[in-house]
Amino acid sequence: MEKQEAKGLGRRLVFVVYPFQGHINPMLELATILNSKGFSITIVHTEYNSPDHSKHPDFSFVSIPEGLSQTILSSGRDFATTFLAFNNNCEAPFQQYMEKLLEVENPQDRVACVVYDGLMHFAQVVADRVKLPGISLRTSAAATLLAFAVFPHPQEQGYISFQDSVCQAQVPELQTLMLKDLLVSMTEKPTTSLLEMRATVTNATKNASAIIVNTMHFLEEQTLKVVQKYFHAPIFTVGPFHKLAPAASTSLLEEDMSCISWLDKQEPKSVIYVSFGSVASMEEKELLEIAFGLANSEQPFLWVVRPGSVCGSEYVELLPKNFWESAGGRCCTVKWAPQKEVLAHDAVGGFWSHCGWNSILESVCEGVPMLCHPFFGDQGLGARYVCRVWKVGLELEGVLERGKIEKAIRTLMATTEGLEIIQRAKALKEKAELCLSEDGSSYNALNELAQHILSF
Ligand code: UDX
């Protein structure tokens, strides 16, 4: 992206990152976008999963201790408990940092506001205390703002009737994403930590001076209307960030570029790319079903097997000899891929994904149709959008089984049903391009966001 007019010159933005790949990527991309608008950037991050400072020489970085040992962080404690610990432990060091920063503030470099990942809600509390505006960044779909807000107690909050009436009367998109679909993104019996998490995140967002969502207006047009009624702060849909930001890599793992030369040798639109993101894990049994489903589909495939993502193994040691005999000539496995480049490659004809929101946006922008197998959290909601609202993918529901996988791949790559999905994916890509071009909704939202920040 070209350096735009320096509207934000003399104003600094303090970003607070949630330390996981699917959150680091969009936040650093947003920081890059706003830096190109002239704002100076400070990135506050935990010691855990620190981003690589050398890749962002224009930013200042500040590390705060999250106080959790590596053992606890990698022990598979539930997501909500780790989340609460981050918020409890980071608040005091962040407050100390902000007080010091404001004490020595240079009038030519004044802090305009704190932009925090919505899951780091302590940042809003600190922003309120030091009398700075806070902007909440949602790195997943706008619909998840609603899902967090109405659960844990949908019945008590009267949300069911609220949603039924709103859906039936005015919101066709939400008719498809009915309550049961929102529930997909929530565990059936939420733990106390999870309930606390949703409530605190929602309350912080209600206090925010603005909300930024990494989405495109046309993808969630009707949902956004409902979300805007619930949260009063202005919502800026400035996504997808990765298309507006230059391509500085924000990967925590090393990207294996050899898969690009492998893709160069494949036929156009022939390859299924398989990746389940940075967090999902599986048992050996699932690995084998995936492996033989892919092999039996007879389609070439590029498969990311993240180190440690299969219980009891480091990488692909559990794959048997007969798998390699059957698929070896048609497959490429890597530990971590340059995903955006892969999806933009002409050889890629489909993406089997866990439906993390970043993966969905990256796929939509390249017009790649998807096979969806959500693992947890917002991924269920993402899969519903892909398969039932935009209809650019097929859902692989239930337990993974090789026959089902083979059939789904063949349907996507070699049937009339698949062709229709491919055509819709192409049309969605064109809409995304319009949205990012001059006077498109994301382009305009970005300018409005910059103006909004300057009004603080
Ligand atoms: C997590 C949650 O699981 C997801 O549901 C939520 O929306 C964001 O946080 P993650 O599982 O990692 O994220 O998925 P996703 O949102 O898709 O983000 C993964 C990122 O890693 C993407 O930007 C993708 O391009 C990148 N990636 C993934 C690579 O660069 N290489 C890979 O091999 C795989």
Side-chain angles (χ1 to χ4, degrees):
M1 188 173 57
E2 269 182 35
K3 202 93 178 163
Q4 314 216 357
E5 69 270 47
K7 285 183 177 165
L9 270 187
R11 304 306 303 272
R12 177 165 294 276
L13 308 178
V14 176
F15 280 73
V16 182
V17 181
Y18 190 62
F20 291 94
Q21 187 74 71
H23 293 257
I24 293 171
N25 286 3
M27 181 145 263
L28 291 183
E29 285 156 3
L30 177 66
T32 306
I33 295 167
L34 289 169
N35 183 233
S36 77
K37 284 276 183 197
F39 294 98
S40 310
I41 304 293
T42 296
I43 305 285
V44 177
H45 61 83
T46 54
E47 287 167 357
Y48 174 66
N49 274 350
S50 160
D52 182 349
H53 298 187
S54 69
K55 288 190 180 147
H56 309 277
D58 292 342
F59 298 173
S60 305
F61 285 90
V62 176
S63 173
I64 53 173
E66 74 286 334
L68 295 175
S69 71
Q70 192 66 35
T71 331
I72 292 179
L73 285 163
S74 50
S75 68
R77 285 206 317 174
D78 77 281
F79 165 72
T81 311
T82 310
F83 155 87
L84 289 172
F86 277 131
N87 276 282
N88 290 337
N89 299 352
C90 293
E91 184 174 327
F94 181 57
Q95 170 133 1
Q96 276 163 20
Y97 166 70
M98 287 307 296
E99 282 168 356
K100 221 183 217 161
L101 179 70
L102 295 173
E103 232 174 73
V104 295
E105 195 176 50
N106 173 345
Q108 304 307 314
D109 187 24
R110 283 196 308 115
V111 179
C113 62
V114 175
V115 184
Y116 60 96
D117 188 304
L119 297 187
M120 296 295 247
H121 60 81
F122 71 87
Q124 178 67 52
V125 175
V126 172
D128 289 342
R129 281 196 205 120
V130 299
K131 303 203 171 0
L132 278 174
I135 298 185
S136 174
L137 166 64
R138 195 65 162 190
T139 59
S140 49
T144 63
L145 281 161
L146 205 56
F148 265 52
V150 299
F151 293 94
H153 304 300
Q155 292 86 348
E156 282 170 34
Q157 294 186 9
Y159 185 70
I160 290 177
S161 54
F162 161 73
Q163 187 179 24
D164 283 349
S165 59
V166 172
C167 286
Q168 277 155 25
Q170 317 152 11
V171 190
E173 200 175 82
L174 281 183
Q175 280 173 18
T176 320
L177 278 181
M178 285 298 278
L179 185 66
K180 65 180 162 43
D181 298 314
L182 284 178
L183 267 169
V184 171
S185 63
M186 308 288 143
T187 52
E188 274 176 28
K189 285 207 176 101
T191 59
T192 316
S193 310
L194 205 58
L195 300 184
E196 192 181 334
M197 169 189 160
R198 290 178 197 150
T200 43
V201 166
T202 301
N203 287 340
T205 312
K206 280 185 178 164
N207 289 337
S209 300
I211 300 168
I212 303 172
V213 190
N214 190 15
T215 192
M216 288 176 272
H217 194 259
F218 77 90
L219 288 179
E220 298 193 84
E221 197 171 346
Q222 303 303 329
T223 309
L224 278 160
K225 283 184 192 157
V226 184
V227 177
Q228 186 65 85
K229 274 188 198 158
Y230 196 92
F231 296 97
H232 300 297
I235 298 176
F236 297 93
T237 52
V238 188
F241 302 156
H242 74 279
K243 280 288 178 187
L244 287 163
S249 171
T250 48
S251 248
L252 295 167
L253 295 172
E254 195 185 335
E255 294 165 337
D256 184 341
M257 301 306 288
S258 68
C259 61
I260 300 294
S261 350
W262 181 85
L263 284 174
D264 288 343
K265 295 187 203 107
Q266 309 304 316
E267 295 292 321
K269 307 285 172 233
S270 65
V271 173
I272 281 275
Y273 168 59
V274 186
S275 168
F276 305 125
S278 65
V279 191
S281 60
M282 66 185 79
E283 302 291 331
E284 178 180 357
K285 188 173 176 342
E286 289 169 293
L287 175 88
L288 294 179
E289 293 306 310
I290 293 170
F292 284 100
L294 287 165
N296 298 345
S297 76
E298 295 179 346
Q299 209 70 38
F301 58 95
L302 165 57
W303 183 9
V304 178
V305 184
R306 204 183 70 250
S309 63
V310 182
C311 303
S313 83
E314 178 52 25
Y315 182 41
V316 291
E317 316 80 84
L318 294 172
L319 292 176
K321 204 164 147 226
N322 61 339
F323 164 76
W324 295 110
E325 281 163 3
S326 131
R330 276 181 295 106
C331 90
C332 172
T333 59
V334 291
K335 292 181 174 172
W336 193 249
Q339 180 163 302
K340 296 179 195 88
E341 258 182 82
V342 166
L343 288 169
H345 198 288
D346 193 42
V348 173
F351 180 14
W352 179 5
S353 171
H354 67 312
C355 290
W357 188 244
N358 296 292
S359 292
I360 290 178
L361 290 178
E362 289 161 15
S363 206
V364 163
C365 285
E366 301 307 334
V368 178
M370 298 175 80
L371 275 185
C372 300
H373 182 73
F375 283 71
F376 60 83
D378 64 335
Q379 297 159 13
L381 190 62
R384 292 299 200 274
Y385 263 139
V386 171
C387 302
R388 299 187 193 184
V389 181
W390 314 323
K391 299 187 171 66
V392 294
L394 285 176
E395 195 160 354
L396 259 173
E397 283 178 288
V399 177
L400 288 174
E401 189 272 313
R402 62 190 73 187
K404 201 159 75 178
I405 295 168
E406 177 191 340
K407 185 164 174 254
I409 296 174
R410 287 183 190 274
T411 305
L412 188 66
M413 306 296 272
T415 62
T416 317
E417 186 186 350
L419 195 62
E420 283 168 6
I421 292 174
I422 292 167
Q423 277 160 355
R424 281 194 291 271
K426 268 193 205 153
L428 209 60
K429 175 187 175 178
E430 281 162 21
K431 279 178 118 175
E433 281 165 356
L434 274 180
C435 167
L436 289 158
S437 61
E438 196 166 340
D439 270 337
S441 66
S442 290
Y443 178 96
N444 288 340
L446 174 59
N447 286 325
E448 286 158 18
L449 171 67
Q451 287 303 337
H452 187 69
I453 295 173
L454 287 172
S455 74
F456 291 150

mmCIF file of all heavy atoms in Angstrom, residues 21-23 25 140 251 255 273 275-279 304 336-340 354-359 362 376 378-379, ligand 1:
data_model
loop_
_atom_site.group_PDB
_atom_site.id
_atom_site.type_symbol
_atom_site.label_atom_id
_atom_site.label_comp_id
_atom_site.label_asym_id
_atom_site.label_seq_id
_atom_site.Cartn_x
_atom_site.Cartn_y
_atom_site.Cartn_z
ATOM 1 N N GLN A 21 -1.432 -16.414 17.184
ATOM 2 C CA GLN A 21 -1.216 -16.112 15.769
ATOM 3 C C GLN A 21 -2.436 -15.471 15.087
ATOM 4 O O GLN A 21 -2.304 -14.488 14.364
ATOM 5 C CB GLN A 21 -0.814 -17.395 15.020
ATOM 6 C CG GLN A 21 -0.408 -17.161 13.591
ATOM 7 C CD GLN A 21 0.964 -16.533 13.469
ATOM 8 O OE1 GLN A 21 1.966 -17.166 13.719
ATOM 9 N NE2 GLN A 21 0.999 -15.254 13.093
ATOM 10 N N GLY A 22 -3.615 -16.061 15.331
ATOM 11 C CA GLY A 22 -4.826 -15.581 14.660
ATOM 12 C C GLY A 22 -5.232 -14.177 15.110
ATOM 13 O O GLY A 22 -6.119 -13.558 14.512
ATOM 14 N N HIS A 23 -4.612 -13.669 16.177
ATOM 15 C CA HIS A 23 -4.892 -12.308 16.661
ATOM 16 C C HIS A 23 -3.726 -11.367 16.347
ATOM 17 O O HIS A 23 -3.926 -10.187 16.076
ATOM 18 C CB HIS A 23 -5.138 -12.346 18.174
ATOM 19 C CG HIS A 23 -6.388 -13.074 18.535
ATOM 20 N ND1 HIS A 23 -7.548 -12.423 18.902
ATOM 21 C CD2 HIS A 23 -6.676 -14.394 18.558
ATOM 22 C CE1 HIS A 23 -8.503 -13.327 19.137
ATOM 23 N NE2 HIS A 23 -7.992 -14.532 18.940
ATOM 24 N N ASN A 25 -1.669 -11.528 13.755
ATOM 25 C CA ASN A 25 -1.668 -11.149 12.326
ATOM 26 C C ASN A 25 -2.557 -9.931 12.066
ATOM 27 O O ASN A 25 -2.069 -8.909 11.582
ATOM 28 C CB ASN A 25 -2.143 -12.314 11.446
ATOM 29 C CG ASN A 25 -1.095 -13.416 11.322
ATOM 30 O OD1 ASN A 25 -0.043 -13.337 11.942
ATOM 31 N ND2 ASN A 25 -1.385 -14.435 10.539
ATOM 32 N N SER A 140 -12.388 -11.282 14.701
ATOM 33 C CA SER A 140 -13.240 -12.263 14.020
ATOM 34 C C SER A 140 -14.529 -11.596 13.545
ATOM 35 O O SER A 140 -14.657 -10.366 13.614
ATOM 36 C CB SER A 140 -13.511 -13.460 14.932
ATOM 37 O OG SER A 140 -13.926 -13.025 16.180
ATOM 38 N N SER A 251 4.292 -14.098 10.998
ATOM 39 C CA SER A 251 4.257 -15.503 11.418
ATOM 40 C C SER A 251 5.151 -15.765 12.622
ATOM 41 O O SER A 251 6.279 -15.303 12.663
ATOM 42 C CB SER A 251 4.766 -16.378 10.265
ATOM 43 O OG SER A 251 3.729 -17.138 9.752
ATOM 44 N N GLU A 255 7.888 -19.981 7.821
ATOM 45 C CA GLU A 255 7.109 -20.418 6.658
ATOM 46 C C GLU A 255 7.993 -21.244 5.732
ATOM 47 O O GLU A 255 9.089 -20.808 5.389
ATOM 48 C CB GLU A 255 6.566 -19.198 5.897
ATOM 49 C CG GLU A 255 5.555 -18.403 6.710
ATOM 50 C CD GLU A 255 5.299 -17.019 6.132
ATOM 51 O OE1 GLU A 255 6.152 -16.484 5.404
ATOM 52 O OE2 GLU A 255 4.217 -16.475 6.426
ATOM 53 N N TYR A 273 -5.653 -27.291 -0.720
ATOM 54 C CA TYR A 273 -4.764 -26.838 0.360
ATOM 55 C C TYR A 273 -5.456 -27.149 1.692
ATOM 56 O O TYR A 273 -6.640 -26.840 1.873
ATOM 57 C CB TYR A 273 -4.513 -25.332 0.205
ATOM 58 C CG TYR A 273 -3.843 -24.688 1.397
ATOM 59 C CD1 TYR A 273 -2.598 -25.111 1.849
ATOM 60 C CD2 TYR A 273 -4.458 -23.637 2.090
ATOM 61 C CE1 TYR A 273 -1.981 -24.518 2.945
ATOM 62 C CE2 TYR A 273 -3.853 -23.030 3.180
ATOM 63 C CZ TYR A 273 -2.615 -23.485 3.598
ATOM 64 O OH TYR A 273 -2.018 -22.901 4.695
ATOM 65 N N SER A 275 -5.291 -26.782 5.844
ATOM 66 C CA SER A 275 -4.645 -26.224 7.041
ATOM 67 C C SER A 275 -5.706 -25.933 8.082
ATOM 68 O O SER A 275 -6.783 -25.432 7.767
ATOM 69 C CB SER A 275 -3.915 -24.929 6.694
ATOM 70 O OG SER A 275 -3.547 -24.281 7.897
ATOM 71 N N PHE A 276 -5.364 -26.244 9.343
ATOM 72 C CA PHE A 276 -6.314 -26.031 10.434
ATOM 73 C C PHE A 276 -5.826 -24.961 11.414
ATOM 74 O O PHE A 276 -6.126 -25.007 12.611
ATOM 75 C CB PHE A 276 -6.592 -27.367 11.139
ATOM 76 C CG PHE A 276 -7.073 -28.443 10.192
ATOM 77 C CD1 PHE A 276 -6.426 -29.669 10.096
ATOM 78 C CD2 PHE A 276 -8.165 -28.214 9.365
ATOM 79 C CE1 PHE A 276 -6.859 -30.651 9.215
ATOM 80 C CE2 PHE A 276 -8.603 -29.188 8.468
ATOM 81 C CZ PHE A 276 -7.955 -30.401 8.388
ATOM 82 N N GLY A 277 -5.022 -24.011 10.900
ATOM 83 C CA GLY A 277 -4.661 -22.843 11.694
ATOM 84 C C GLY A 277 -3.613 -23.106 12.760
ATOM 85 O O GLY A 277 -2.905 -24.123 12.726
ATOM 86 N N SER A 278 -3.556 -22.196 13.718
ATOM 87 C CA SER A 278 -2.432 -22.202 14.661
ATOM 88 C C SER A 278 -2.755 -22.834 16.008
ATOM 89 O O SER A 278 -1.874 -22.927 16.858
ATOM 90 C CB SER A 278 -1.968 -20.760 14.882
ATOM 91 O OG SER A 278 -2.992 -20.020 15.510
ATOM 92 N N VAL A 279 -4.003 -23.247 16.232
ATOM 93 C CA VAL A 279 -4.356 -23.742 17.563
ATOM 94 C C VAL A 279 -4.966 -25.150 17.551
ATOM 95 O O VAL A 279 -4.681 -25.955 18.457
ATOM 96 C CB VAL A 279 -5.380 -22.784 18.254
ATOM 97 C CG1 VAL A 279 -5.543 -23.136 19.722
ATOM 98 C CG2 VAL A 279 -4.968 -21.330 18.121
ATOM 99 N N VAL A 304 -0.728 -28.744 5.627
ATOM 100 C CA VAL A 304 0.057 -28.201 6.741
ATOM 101 C C VAL A 304 -0.214 -29.066 7.976
ATOM 102 O O VAL A 304 -1.360 -29.158 8.441
ATOM 103 C CB VAL A 304 -0.351 -26.740 7.060
ATOM 104 C CG1 VAL A 304 0.448 -26.210 8.251
ATOM 105 C CG2 VAL A 304 -0.161 -25.845 5.844
ATOM 106 N N TRP A 336 4.499 -25.409 8.274
ATOM 107 C CA TRP A 336 3.826 -24.095 8.271
ATOM 108 C C TRP A 336 4.014 -23.497 6.889
ATOM 109 O O TRP A 336 5.132 -23.531 6.344
ATOM 110 C CB TRP A 336 4.441 -23.193 9.355
ATOM 111 C CG TRP A 336 3.653 -21.947 9.660
ATOM 112 C CD1 TRP A 336 4.019 -20.668 9.374
ATOM 113 C CD2 TRP A 336 2.393 -21.852 10.340
ATOM 114 N NE1 TRP A 336 3.056 -19.779 9.813
ATOM 115 C CE2 TRP A 336 2.049 -20.486 10.423
ATOM 116 C CE3 TRP A 336 1.506 -22.791 10.875
ATOM 117 C CZ2 TRP A 336 0.875 -20.043 11.013
ATOM 118 C CZ3 TRP A 336 0.326 -22.341 11.476
ATOM 119 C CH2 TRP A 336 0.024 -20.985 11.540
ATOM 120 N N ALA A 337 2.952 -22.997 6.300
ATOM 121 C CA ALA A 337 3.009 -22.511 4.914
ATOM 122 C C ALA A 337 2.893 -20.986 4.861
ATOM 123 O O ALA A 337 2.344 -20.385 5.790
ATOM 124 C CB ALA A 337 1.861 -23.119 4.116
ATOM 125 N N PRO A 338 3.370 -20.364 3.788
ATOM 126 C CA PRO A 338 3.067 -18.938 3.578
ATOM 127 C C PRO A 338 1.627 -18.858 3.047
ATOM 128 O O PRO A 338 1.416 -18.774 1.841
ATOM 129 C CB PRO A 338 4.103 -18.506 2.531
ATOM 130 C CG PRO A 338 4.458 -19.768 1.809
ATOM 131 C CD PRO A 338 4.197 -20.938 2.700
ATOM 132 N N GLN A 339 0.648 -18.929 3.941
ATOM 133 C CA GLN A 339 -0.740 -19.218 3.543
ATOM 134 C C GLN A 339 -1.315 -18.240 2.513
ATOM 135 O O GLN A 339 -2.020 -18.644 1.589
ATOM 136 C CB GLN A 339 -1.647 -19.276 4.774
ATOM 137 C CG GLN A 339 -3.090 -19.580 4.412
ATOM 138 C CD GLN A 339 -3.916 -20.040 5.581
ATOM 139 O OE1 GLN A 339 -3.590 -21.030 6.211
ATOM 140 N NE2 GLN A 339 -4.989 -19.318 5.875
ATOM 141 N N LYS A 340 -1.024 -16.957 2.711
ATOM 142 C CA LYS A 340 -1.638 -15.984 1.777
ATOM 143 C C LYS A 340 -1.114 -16.209 0.362
ATOM 144 O O LYS A 340 -1.864 -16.135 -0.607
ATOM 145 C CB LYS A 340 -1.366 -14.555 2.246
ATOM 146 C CG LYS A 340 -2.012 -14.265 3.585
ATOM 147 C CD LYS A 340 -1.721 -12.858 4.045
ATOM 148 C CE LYS A 340 -2.048 -12.678 5.507
ATOM 149 N NZ LYS A 340 -0.953 -13.019 6.428
ATOM 150 N N HIS A 354 -10.254 -25.108 8.938
ATOM 151 C CA HIS A 354 -10.973 -25.169 10.226
ATOM 152 C C HIS A 354 -11.892 -23.961 10.388
ATOM 153 O O HIS A 354 -12.610 -23.854 11.370
ATOM 154 C CB HIS A 354 -9.952 -25.189 11.357
ATOM 155 C CG HIS A 354 -9.183 -23.890 11.485
ATOM 156 N ND1 HIS A 354 -8.597 -23.251 10.409
ATOM 157 C CD2 HIS A 354 -8.932 -23.087 12.544
ATOM 158 C CE1 HIS A 354 -8.003 -22.140 10.813
ATOM 159 N NE2 HIS A 354 -8.196 -22.017 12.106
ATOM 160 N N CYS A 355 -11.808 -23.020 9.436
ATOM 161 C CA CYS A 355 -12.649 -21.828 9.437
ATOM 162 C C CYS A 355 -12.315 -20.818 10.533
ATOM 163 O O CYS A 355 -13.208 -20.198 11.128
ATOM 164 C CB CYS A 355 -14.137 -22.187 9.485
ATOM 165 S SG CYS A 355 -14.671 -22.908 7.950
ATOM 166 N N GLY A 356 -11.026 -20.665 10.827
ATOM 167 C CA GLY A 356 -10.592 -19.486 11.585
ATOM 168 C C GLY A 356 -10.931 -18.277 10.729
ATOM 169 O O GLY A 356 -10.905 -18.350 9.492
ATOM 170 N N TRP A 357 -11.254 -17.176 11.357
ATOM 171 C CA TRP A 357 -11.749 -16.015 10.601
ATOM 172 C C TRP A 357 -10.710 -15.476 9.617
ATOM 173 O O TRP A 357 -11.042 -15.068 8.497
ATOM 174 C CB TRP A 357 -12.207 -14.923 11.564
ATOM 175 C CG TRP A 357 -12.908 -13.787 10.872
ATOM 176 C CD1 TRP A 357 -12.497 -12.490 10.795
ATOM 177 C CD2 TRP A 357 -14.164 -13.846 10.150
ATOM 178 N NE1 TRP A 357 -13.400 -11.732 10.082
ATOM 179 C CE2 TRP A 357 -14.436 -12.544 9.684
ATOM 180 C CE3 TRP A 357 -15.076 -14.868 9.875
ATOM 181 C CZ2 TRP A 357 -15.582 -12.235 8.948
ATOM 182 C CZ3 TRP A 357 -16.214 -14.558 9.127
ATOM 183 C CH2 TRP A 357 -16.454 -13.257 8.680
ATOM 184 N N ASN A 358 -9.419 -15.487 10.006
ATOM 185 C CA ASN A 358 -8.390 -14.991 9.074
ATOM 186 C C ASN A 358 -8.344 -15.874 7.833
ATOM 187 O O ASN A 358 -8.254 -15.381 6.712
ATOM 188 C CB ASN A 358 -7.007 -14.983 9.738
ATOM 189 C CG ASN A 358 -6.955 -14.017 10.894
ATOM 190 O OD1 ASN A 358 -7.018 -12.816 10.706
ATOM 191 N ND2 ASN A 358 -6.876 -14.544 12.106
ATOM 192 N N SER A 359 -8.397 -17.176 8.053
ATOM 193 C CA SER A 359 -8.347 -18.098 6.912
ATOM 194 C C SER A 359 -9.537 -17.859 5.983
ATOM 195 O O SER A 359 -9.400 -17.872 4.756
ATOM 196 C CB SER A 359 -8.345 -19.551 7.392
ATOM 197 O OG SER A 359 -7.130 -19.816 8.056
ATOM 198 N N GLU A 362 -8.955 -14.682 4.006
ATOM 199 C CA GLU A 362 -7.878 -14.860 3.020
ATOM 200 C C GLU A 362 -8.380 -15.684 1.829
ATOM 201 O O GLU A 362 -8.048 -15.414 0.681
ATOM 202 C CB GLU A 362 -6.673 -15.529 3.707
ATOM 203 C CG GLU A 362 -5.971 -14.577 4.692
ATOM 204 C CD GLU A 362 -5.092 -15.279 5.730
ATOM 205 O OE1 GLU A 362 -4.780 -16.466 5.547
ATOM 206 O OE2 GLU A 362 -4.722 -14.626 6.734
ATOM 207 N N PHE A 376 -13.499 -25.557 17.021
ATOM 208 C CA PHE A 376 -14.049 -24.976 18.261
ATOM 209 C C PHE A 376 -14.311 -23.479 18.074
ATOM 210 O O PHE A 376 -13.904 -22.881 17.071
ATOM 211 C CB PHE A 376 -13.088 -25.195 19.450
ATOM 212 C CG PHE A 376 -11.738 -24.563 19.237
ATOM 213 C CD1 PHE A 376 -11.531 -23.221 19.500
ATOM 214 C CD2 PHE A 376 -10.671 -25.317 18.756
ATOM 215 C CE1 PHE A 376 -10.292 -22.629 19.284
ATOM 216 C CE2 PHE A 376 -9.423 -24.733 18.540
ATOM 217 C CZ PHE A 376 -9.241 -23.389 18.804
ATOM 218 N N ASP A 378 -15.357 -19.715 17.496
ATOM 219 C CA ASP A 378 -16.034 -18.998 16.409
ATOM 220 C C ASP A 378 -15.966 -19.734 15.075
ATOM 221 O O ASP A 378 -16.581 -19.304 14.097
ATOM 222 C CB ASP A 378 -15.433 -17.596 16.258
ATOM 223 C CG ASP A 378 -13.974 -17.631 15.838
ATOM 224 O OD1 ASP A 378 -13.303 -18.638 16.103
ATOM 225 O OD2 ASP A 378 -13.504 -16.647 15.236
ATOM 226 N N GLN A 379 -15.223 -20.834 15.022
ATOM 227 C CA GLN A 379 -15.054 -21.534 13.739
ATOM 228 C C GLN A 379 -16.380 -22.108 13.223
ATOM 229 O O GLN A 379 -16.615 -22.153 12.015
ATOM 230 C CB GLN A 379 -13.996 -22.631 13.887
ATOM 231 C CG GLN A 379 -12.632 -22.043 14.240
ATOM 232 C CD GLN A 379 -11.685 -23.045 14.887
ATOM 233 O OE1 GLN A 379 -11.931 -24.250 14.875
ATOM 234 N NE2 GLN A 379 -10.597 -22.547 15.462
HETATM 235 C C1 UDX B 1 -7.627 -18.415 16.169
HETATM 236 C C2 UDX B 1 -8.965 -19.135 16.231
HETATM 237 O O1 UDX B 1 -8.802 -20.522 16.150
HETATM 238 C C3 UDX B 1 -9.866 -18.599 15.156
HETATM 239 O O2 UDX B 1 -11.080 -19.319 15.159
HETATM 240 C C4 UDX B 1 -10.119 -17.136 15.411
HETATM 241 O O3 UDX B 1 -10.985 -16.626 14.423
HETATM 242 C C5 UDX B 1 -8.779 -16.410 15.423
HETATM 243 O O4 UDX B 1 -7.903 -17.026 16.355
HETATM 244 P P1 UDX B 1 -6.353 -19.697 14.116
HETATM 245 O O5 UDX B 1 -6.927 -20.982 14.531
HETATM 246 O O6 UDX B 1 -4.904 -19.632 14.073
HETATM 247 O O7 UDX B 1 -6.931 -18.470 14.941
HETATM 248 O O8 UDX B 1 -6.965 -19.451 12.630
HETATM 249 P P2 UDX B 1 -7.015 -18.235 11.655
HETATM 250 O O9 UDX B 1 -7.906 -17.159 12.162
HETATM 251 O O10 UDX B 1 -7.350 -18.771 10.348
HETATM 252 O O11 UDX B 1 -5.537 -17.629 11.638
HETATM 253 C C6 UDX B 1 -4.429 -18.353 11.201
HETATM 254 C C7 UDX B 1 -3.444 -17.417 10.550
HETATM 255 O O12 UDX B 1 -2.225 -18.119 10.380
HETATM 256 C C8 UDX B 1 -3.893 -16.957 9.175
HETATM 257 O O13 UDX B 1 -3.584 -15.583 9.009
HETATM 258 C C9 UDX B 1 -3.072 -17.794 8.212
HETATM 259 O O14 UDX B 1 -2.720 -17.146 7.017
HETATM 260 C C10 UDX B 1 -1.829 -18.078 9.035
HETATM 261 N N1 UDX B 1 -1.241 -19.374 8.642
HETATM 262 C C11 UDX B 1 -1.897 -20.529 8.898
HETATM 263 C C12 UDX B 1 -0.035 -19.373 8.008
HETATM 264 O O15 UDX B 1 0.552 -18.309 7.763
HETATM 265 N N2 UDX B 1 0.516 -20.569 7.660
HETATM 266 C C13 UDX B 1 -0.087 -21.750 7.911
HETATM 267 O O16 UDX B 1 0.482 -22.794 7.569
HETATM 268 C C14 UDX B 1 -1.349 -21.735 8.557
#
